[in-house]
Amino acid sequence: MEQNVAIVGGGLVGSLLSIYLAKKNYNVSVYESRPNMRDRNVDGGRSINLALSHRGWKALEEVGIADTIEEIAIPMEGRMIHQTDGQVQFQPYGQKGEAIYSVSRGQLNNELDKLSDTHKNVTYHYETKCTELDLQSNMLYFNTQEGILSVKPDVIFGADGAFSKVRRALQFKKRFNFSQEFLPHAYKELSIPANEDGSWKLEKNALHIWPRRSFMLIALPNLDGSFTCTLFLAFEGEDAFENLTDEKSVIKFFEKEFPDALPLMPTLVEDFFENPTDTLVTIRCNPWNRENICLLGDASHAIVPFYGQGMNSGFEDCRILNQLINKHEQKPEGLDWNNLLVEYSNLRVPDANAIADLALKNFIEMRDDVADQSFLLRKKIEKHLQANFPNEFTPAYSLVTFSPDIRYSEALRRGKIQDKLFEEFFKQENISEKWANNELNDELNQFLEKYKQAIA
């Protein structure tokens, strides 16, 4: 029997999910509140560039679009750290050949939409805004240009973002746990244009960071030679958006904090006052399902962007769901969506909570630690251990970013163990000198043995 599936939200996760389900011959209807995004970017001014890593690539490979996306992605092999005195330092992300990839949200969404179009059993409904989900009847209601649209699909997926209408309906049911936490910081999109010849004004294959303890500026490269920049700054306080109210205050702030970036940003003032100041929120909920209704992506686990895993975790949602569909389809009694989605929610909630914790932790690392000498020494020791003992030690960052078969919850567990062991390790006297003189071999062997025992 053919089943009709509704996906509320046609963003990155909703589009990818539609492709997975179309390949299984479900009749899929995608309902998106925005206009058709094809061949234009409607996210200008409020889109942090995306960092595509191994978890995201694995999902794109499964639906056969990885090669196409690779053509519009730029590898970033590490962080380029910009100090206030003009010094610049490169910090590789992983082992040689490992990189995360800068990609435009609009371009990626367009390519996913185009792939959806190749499947006759996928129908997109643009400018169709979900207003209500009636849990008594499982009826969805939408506002359209023609009036009210009501549909009753067999299965409903909510991929409609951090402030999801589908999730809002579930929140009124008993035993549904929900929390949202806003950072005191906000973000604003800025830009560095290309040189006249179309080349990049900064190193192309790096994520640029201007860490300033309580705030930071980052820049990710685009194919046209420009960089999409994002300023992360508190709403209120001494260094805060509330004090940047006119051209003079903005220029003065950048002259003081980002003196090497300012000359590269001729449209700084226009960008600053034309682009919105947006919030940073972490959403957690449990369970993600009710009978034949399920949440994915930001609708179930919106996270702050500091680990570059928001899109990647959403794509992983789709890939894991597809694995479970394959598993349940093989059962003698056939696929029961309620049982499948219960298993899916139980599996994914711990991983979503883990990457949310990791993303919040990485904000501190990016704005504070990347310029700290102890942090830099730890990174050198991590790379030494990984290079010499690749089967026994992998840094937490690499577990998250370059190890798609390691669950986020397991990466978090191992990361906490690493933090505890390194804290103990760094209590040694003169550790920098000992490292420089290659006098830590015994201590490193002891560290490794403790780590192996702790993660067993």
Side-chain angles (χ1 to χ4, degrees):
M1 181 180 72
E2 290 187 347
Q3 288 190 306
N4 297 314
V5 177
I7 300 174
V8 182
L12 296 171
V13 172
S15 296
L16 179 63
L17 180 61
S18 74
I19 298 166
Y20 269 114
L21 295 176
K23 287 177 172 289
K24 296 187 175 300
N25 297 316
Y26 291 102
N27 292 322
V28 182
S29 296
V30 182
Y31 299 92
E32 172 55 49
S33 62
R34 295 170 298 180
N36 190 335
M37 290 178 61
R38 285 161 175 76
D39 301 320
R40 59 177 177 152
N41 183 1
V42 300
D43 284 317
R46 49 189 315 122
S47 173
I48 299 171
N49 259 41
L50 303 171
L52 187 57
S53 59
H54 281 44
R55 294 174 193 271
W57 282 119
K58 192 167 185 178
L60 295 176
E61 287 167 1
E62 286 189 354
V63 298
I65 198 175
D67 290 344
T68 300
I69 302 306
E70 192 169 3
E71 295 177 2
I72 62 171
I74 298 176
M76 299 182 293
E77 298 166 355
R79 299 164 171 165
M80 194 69 76
I81 307 302
H82 297 253
Q83 306 289 6
T84 51
D85 61 4
Q87 292 188 36
V88 179
Q89 182 183 46
F90 181 72
Q91 299 175 3
Y93 278 128
Q95 300 290 82
K96 186 176 181 180
E98 290 182 329
I100 60 177
Y101 290 76
S102 176
V103 63
S104 159
R105 179 187 300 272
Q107 286 182 296
L108 179 54
N109 218 143
N110 284 342
E111 294 299 332
L112 288 169
D113 287 355
K114 290 175 184 177
L115 182 58
S116 293
D117 284 344
T118 66
H119 296 277
K120 295 182 179 179
N121 51 334
V122 177
T123 304
Y124 271 78
H125 304 267
Y126 291 102
E127 299 181 82
T128 303
K129 184 176 182 179
C130 182
T131 57
E132 182 185 357
L133 166 58
D134 185 340
L135 294 178
Q136 298 299 319
S137 62
N138 275 17
M139 188 80 74
L140 283 163
Y141 295 90
F142 300 90
N143 279 344
T144 75
Q145 291 182 328
E146 289 74 37
I148 302 297
L149 171 67
S150 60
V151 295
K152 187 177 181 180
D154 299 302
V155 186
I156 298 170
F157 288 102
D160 49 337
F163 303 103
S164 165
K165 283 288 186 181
V166 177
R167 188 191 66 239
R168 185 176 180 182
L170 298 180
Q171 286 174 224
F172 289 97
K173 299 302 293 182
K174 293 180 179 178
R175 301 175 66 193
F176 184 91
N177 299 300
F178 167 78
S179 70
Q180 68 178 30
E181 180 182 0
F182 288 92
L183 283 183
H185 292 71
Y187 74 89
K188 184 181 289 288
E189 182 182 304
L190 306 169
S191 62
I192 294 175
N195 289 315
E196 290 184 3
D197 62 358
S199 61
W200 291 264
K201 292 180 177 178
L202 298 169
E203 167 58 44
K204 167 188 173 185
N205 297 116
L207 188 157
H208 294 261
I209 306 178
W210 290 259
R212 299 297 183 262
R213 295 297 178 185
S214 62
F215 58 93
M216 67 178 178
L217 178 72
I218 67 171
L220 280 75
N222 297 310
L223 289 176
D224 63 1
S226 67
F227 284 82
T228 298
C229 304
T230 310
L231 175 63
F232 297 97
L233 190 66
F235 278 105
E236 301 169 340
E238 182 179 353
D239 293 310
F241 279 112
E242 70 173 354
N243 298 321
L244 304 180
T245 57
D246 55 27
E247 178 177 345
K248 183 179 179 180
S249 59
V250 171
I251 295 297
K252 183 178 179 180
F253 177 72
F254 271 74
E255 285 177 340
K256 176 186 175 185
E257 301 294 348
F258 313 117
D260 61 332
L262 180 58
L264 309 178
M265 308 174 77
T267 60
L268 169 62
V269 174
E270 293 90 332
D271 292 340
F272 195 94
F273 291 107
E274 290 178 6
N275 293 339
T277 304
D278 229 329
T279 58
L280 295 159
V281 65
T282 299
I283 299 285
R284 304 175 196 256
C285 66
N286 182 28
W288 291 0
N289 70 294
R290 180 190 180 275
E291 297 177 354
N292 286 16
I293 303 168
C294 188
L295 305 170
L296 296 95
D298 284 356
S300 53
H301 57 94
I303 62 176
V304 293
F306 305 114
Y307 225 114
Q309 289 296 307
M311 170 192 61
N312 292 288
S313 62
F315 282 4
E316 189 172 74
D317 288 345
C318 299
R319 183 174 67 81
I320 298 301
L321 178 64
N322 186 63
Q323 287 181 355
L324 291 178
I325 293 174
N326 292 337
K327 170 186 169 182
H328 282 254
E329 284 179 337
Q330 301 305 314
K331 292 186 174 183
E333 66 273 22
L335 188 153
D336 181 298
W337 277 106
N338 184 50
N339 291 336
L340 184 158
L341 296 177
V342 168
E343 181 177 353
Y344 173 74
S345 177
N346 290 339
L347 183 65
R348 290 301 287 166
V349 167
D351 291 328
N353 288 335
I355 191 56
D357 291 340
L358 286 162
L360 289 165
K361 179 176 181 289
N362 215 47
F363 182 32
I364 298 172
E365 178 175 311
M366 291 177 72
R367 78 185 192 202
D368 294 4
D369 297 343
V370 291
D372 181 80
Q373 291 305 310
S374 296
F375 173 84
L376 297 177
L377 178 56
R378 171 173 169 170
K379 289 302 176 184
K380 290 177 182 178
I381 295 173
E382 286 181 346
K383 288 188 179 298
H384 171 82
L385 290 172
Q386 186 177 20
N388 289 278
F389 307 97
N391 297 323
E392 299 173 32
F393 182 85
T394 302
Y397 183 87
S398 293
L399 289 172
V400 171
T401 307
F402 303 121
S403 306
D405 296 320
I406 298 290
R407 293 181 60 177
Y408 285 126
S409 51
E410 176 62 14
L412 176 62
R413 184 182 78 90
R414 296 189 192 183
K416 288 180 177 179
I417 293 170
Q418 292 177 16
D419 288 343
K420 183 177 180 180
L421 290 176
F422 271 114
E423 183 180 355
E424 180 183 320
F425 187 83
F426 271 78
K427 289 179 180 178
Q428 301 176 65
E429 293 183 359
N430 303 319
I431 190 168
S432 297
E433 292 81 357
K434 289 180 180 179
W435 170 258
N437 295 325
N438 196 27
E439 297 175 357
L440 289 172
N441 290 337
D442 290 342
E443 290 84 351
L444 288 174
N445 287 331
Q446 293 172 15
F447 177 99
L448 198 60
E449 284 303 315
K450 290 180 181 178
Y451 180 66
K452 288 160 59 179
Q453 293 174 14
I455 66 171

